[in-house]
Amino acid sequence: MKRIILHWTGGTHTVSALDREHYHFIVDGQGKLFEGRFKPEANLNPKSGTYAAHTLGCNTGSIGISMAAMLNATESPFNAGKYPLTKIQFEAAAKQVAKLCKQYGIPVNKSTVLSHAEVQPTLGIRQRGKWDVARLPWNPKIVGAIECGDEFRRLVLAEM
Protein backbone atom coordinates (compact mmCIF):
# COMPACT_ATOMS: atom_id res chain seq x y z
CA MET A 1 0.00 0.00 0.00
CA LYS A 2 1.35 3.39 -0.91
CA ARG A 3 -1.18 5.95 0.31
CA ILE A 4 -4.25 6.61 2.46
CA ILE A 5 -7.11 8.80 1.27
CA LEU A 6 -9.51 10.42 3.75
CA HIS A 7 -13.18 10.89 2.86
CA TRP A 8 -16.59 11.65 4.28
CA THR A 9 -19.52 9.52 3.16
CA GLY A 10 -21.99 12.28 2.31
CA GLY A 11 -24.48 10.44 4.52
CA THR A 12 -25.68 10.36 8.11
CA HIS A 13 -23.55 9.56 11.17
CA THR A 14 -24.43 5.86 10.77
CA VAL A 15 -22.30 3.50 8.69
CA SER A 16 -24.31 1.99 5.82
CA ALA A 17 -23.85 -1.15 3.72
CA LEU A 18 -22.93 1.09 0.77
CA ASP A 19 -20.23 2.79 2.87
CA ARG A 20 -18.74 -0.63 3.64
CA GLU A 21 -18.53 -1.40 -0.09
CA HIS A 22 -16.53 1.74 -0.91
CA TYR A 23 -14.17 2.23 2.03
CA HIS A 24 -11.77 -0.02 3.91
CA PHE A 25 -12.60 1.70 7.20
CA ILE A 26 -15.42 4.02 8.27
CA VAL A 27 -15.74 6.07 11.47
CA ASP A 28 -19.30 6.69 12.67
CA GLY A 29 -20.58 9.85 14.34
CA GLN A 30 -19.55 8.62 17.79
CA GLY A 31 -15.98 7.88 16.69
CA LYS A 32 -16.44 4.10 16.46
CA LEU A 33 -14.41 2.38 13.74
CA PHE A 34 -16.02 -0.08 11.31
CA GLU A 35 -14.30 -2.25 8.74
CA GLY A 36 -15.41 -2.20 5.13
CA ARG A 37 -16.14 -5.26 3.04
CA PHE A 38 -12.69 -5.34 1.44
CA LYS A 39 -9.26 -5.52 3.09
CA PRO A 40 -6.76 -2.85 1.98
CA GLU A 41 -4.81 -5.49 0.02
CA ALA A 42 -7.79 -5.85 -2.34
CA ASN A 43 -6.71 -2.48 -3.77
CA LEU A 44 -3.24 -3.69 -4.75
CA ASN A 45 -4.59 -5.14 -7.99
CA PRO A 46 -8.19 -3.89 -8.28
CA LYS A 47 -10.68 -5.93 -10.29
CA SER A 48 -14.29 -4.83 -10.76
CA GLY A 49 -16.45 -5.71 -7.77
CA THR A 50 -13.55 -7.02 -5.68
CA TYR A 51 -12.03 -3.85 -4.19
CA ALA A 52 -13.01 -0.65 -2.40
CA ALA A 53 -13.68 1.94 -5.13
CA HIS A 54 -13.30 5.19 -3.20
CA THR A 55 -11.28 7.59 -5.37
CA LEU A 56 -11.61 8.04 -9.14
CA GLY A 57 -8.42 6.91 -10.86
CA CYS A 58 -6.56 6.52 -7.58
CA ASN A 59 -7.67 3.25 -5.99
CA THR A 60 -4.66 1.10 -6.84
CA GLY A 61 -2.44 0.94 -3.78
CA SER A 62 -4.70 3.30 -1.85
CA ILE A 63 -6.48 2.67 1.44
CA GLY A 64 -9.81 4.50 1.75
CA ILE A 65 -10.96 5.66 5.18
CA SER A 66 -14.15 7.64 5.57
CA MET A 67 -16.15 9.43 8.21
CA ALA A 68 -19.94 8.90 8.19
CA ALA A 69 -21.18 12.48 7.84
CA MET A 70 -22.10 15.49 5.70
CA LEU A 71 -25.46 14.50 4.17
CA ASN A 72 -26.75 17.48 2.12
CA ALA A 73 -23.73 19.61 3.03
CA THR A 74 -22.82 22.50 0.74
CA GLU A 75 -19.38 23.93 0.15
CA SER A 76 -20.35 27.51 -0.70
CA PRO A 77 -21.87 29.03 1.22
CA PHE A 78 -20.65 26.46 3.69
CA ASN A 79 -23.35 24.45 5.43
CA ALA A 80 -22.42 21.16 7.11
CA GLY A 81 -26.04 19.96 7.11
CA LYS A 82 -27.76 17.92 9.83
CA TYR A 83 -24.89 15.42 10.10
CA PRO A 84 -21.73 17.52 10.29
CA LEU A 85 -18.30 15.98 10.42
CA THR A 86 -17.30 15.88 14.09
CA LYS A 87 -14.01 16.45 15.83
CA ILE A 88 -14.27 13.01 17.46
CA GLN A 89 -14.56 11.38 14.00
CA PHE A 90 -11.60 13.32 12.66
CA GLU A 91 -9.46 12.36 15.65
CA ALA A 92 -10.54 8.69 15.49
CA ALA A 93 -9.70 8.62 11.77
CA ALA A 94 -6.27 10.11 12.52
CA LYS A 95 -5.61 7.35 15.09
CA GLN A 96 -6.55 4.65 12.58
CA VAL A 97 -4.45 6.24 9.85
CA ALA A 98 -1.44 6.38 12.20
CA LYS A 99 -1.86 2.63 12.82
CA LEU A 100 -2.16 1.95 9.10
CA CYS A 101 0.91 4.05 8.29
CA LYS A 102 2.93 2.01 10.79
CA GLN A 103 1.48 -1.29 9.58
CA TYR A 104 2.13 -0.63 5.88
CA GLY A 105 5.23 1.55 6.18
CA ILE A 106 3.51 4.57 4.65
CA PRO A 107 5.30 7.87 5.36
CA VAL A 108 3.13 10.82 6.34
CA ASN A 109 3.32 13.57 3.73
CA LYS A 110 1.00 15.46 1.35
CA SER A 111 1.10 12.79 -1.35
CA THR A 112 0.77 9.71 0.86
CA VAL A 113 -1.79 10.78 3.49
CA LEU A 114 -4.34 13.11 1.95
CA SER A 115 -8.00 13.90 1.69
CA HIS A 116 -10.13 13.23 -1.38
CA ALA A 117 -10.20 17.00 -1.94
CA GLU A 118 -6.39 17.03 -2.13
CA VAL A 119 -6.09 14.29 -4.77
CA GLN A 120 -6.59 16.57 -7.77
CA PRO A 121 -4.34 19.49 -6.70
CA THR A 122 -1.65 17.25 -5.20
CA LEU A 123 -1.57 14.18 -7.44
CA GLY A 124 -3.08 15.73 -10.59
CA ILE A 125 -5.87 13.15 -10.85
CA ARG A 126 -9.18 14.81 -11.79
CA GLN A 127 -11.90 14.22 -9.15
CA ARG A 128 -15.15 15.82 -10.41
CA GLY A 129 -15.41 18.53 -7.76
CA LYS A 130 -14.94 16.42 -4.61
CA TRP A 131 -14.46 18.65 -1.57
CA ASP A 132 -14.12 16.08 1.18
CA VAL A 133 -12.39 17.18 3.41
CA ALA A 134 -12.10 20.92 2.79
CA ARG A 135 -13.98 22.24 5.85
CA LEU A 136 -13.92 21.37 9.55
CA PRO A 137 -17.27 22.40 11.07
CA TRP A 138 -15.86 22.71 14.62
CA ASN A 139 -13.02 24.99 13.45
CA PRO A 140 -14.15 27.60 10.89
CA LYS A 141 -10.63 29.11 10.81
CA ILE A 142 -9.34 26.10 8.87
CA VAL A 143 -10.61 26.42 5.31
CA GLY A 144 -9.47 24.59 2.19
CA ALA A 145 -8.36 21.11 1.22
CA ILE A 146 -4.64 21.58 1.87
CA GLU A 147 -5.24 23.36 5.18
CA CYS A 148 -7.58 20.61 6.40
CA GLY A 149 -5.16 17.98 5.13
CA ASP A 150 -2.29 19.64 6.99
CA GLU A 151 -4.35 19.55 10.19
CA PHE A 152 -5.14 15.87 9.65
CA ARG A 153 -1.49 15.00 8.96
CA ARG A 154 -0.51 16.89 12.12
CA LEU A 155 -2.90 14.71 14.15
CA VAL A 156 -1.66 11.52 12.45
CA LEU A 157 1.95 12.38 13.24
CA ALA A 158 1.03 13.18 16.85
CA GLU A 159 -0.49 9.66 17.14
CA MET A 160 2.70 8.07 15.84
Side-chain angles (χ1 to χ4, degrees):
M1 305 312 300
K2 57 186 172 185
R3 77 177 60 85
I4 300 170
I5 303 175
L6 180 69
H7 304 262
W8 57 49
T9 63
T12 69
H13 285 144
T14 303
V15 176
S16 73
L18 184 61
D19 297 339
R20 288 178 179 224
E21 290 290 320
H22 290 282
Y23 306 105
H24 298 104
F25 302 95
I26 310 101
V27 180
D28 77 2
Q30 302 301 310
K32 183 178 176 187
L33 183 72
F34 291 81
E35 289 187 10
R37 177 176 170 210
F38 302 103
K39 299 288 183 202
E41 290 77 13
N43 281 45
L44 285 172
N45 187 19
K47 291 182 177 78
S48 184
T50 65
Y51 71 101
H54 53 83
T55 307
L56 181 66
C58 196
N59 290 303
T60 303
S62 297
I63 300 170
I65 183 166
S66 192
M67 298 164 288
M70 301 300 278
L71 177 68
N72 295 325
T74 56
E75 183 175 15
S76 183
F78 178 63
N79 180 340
K82 291 182 180 180
Y83 302 94
L85 183 65
T86 66
K87 188 175 181 182
I88 193 168
Q89 286 177 295
F90 199 68
E91 290 170 349
K95 285 181 184 181
Q96 177 64 12
V97 168
K99 289 178 189 175
L100 292 166
C101 286
K102 289 178 189 175
Q103 179 180 347
Y104 291 100
I106 299 170
V108 179
N109 62 56
K110 287 182 182 186
S111 49
T112 58
V113 174
L114 65 164
S115 72
H116 197 170
E118 293 177 282
V119 169
Q120 186 168 322
T122 303
L123 302 178
I125 302 168
R126 194 165 175 82
Q127 292 302 302
R128 298 183 188 153
K130 295 293 184 177
W131 63 285
D132 51 323
V133 173
R135 296 297 293 259
L136 303 176
W138 64 92
N139 190 341
K141 292 180 182 178
I142 300 176
V143 177
I146 303 300
E147 293 78 3
C148 291
D150 286 344
E151 177 65 8
F152 187 71
R153 286 181 286 276
R154 184 187 69 73
L155 290 174
V156 170
L157 286 167
E159 287 295 329
M160 297 177 82

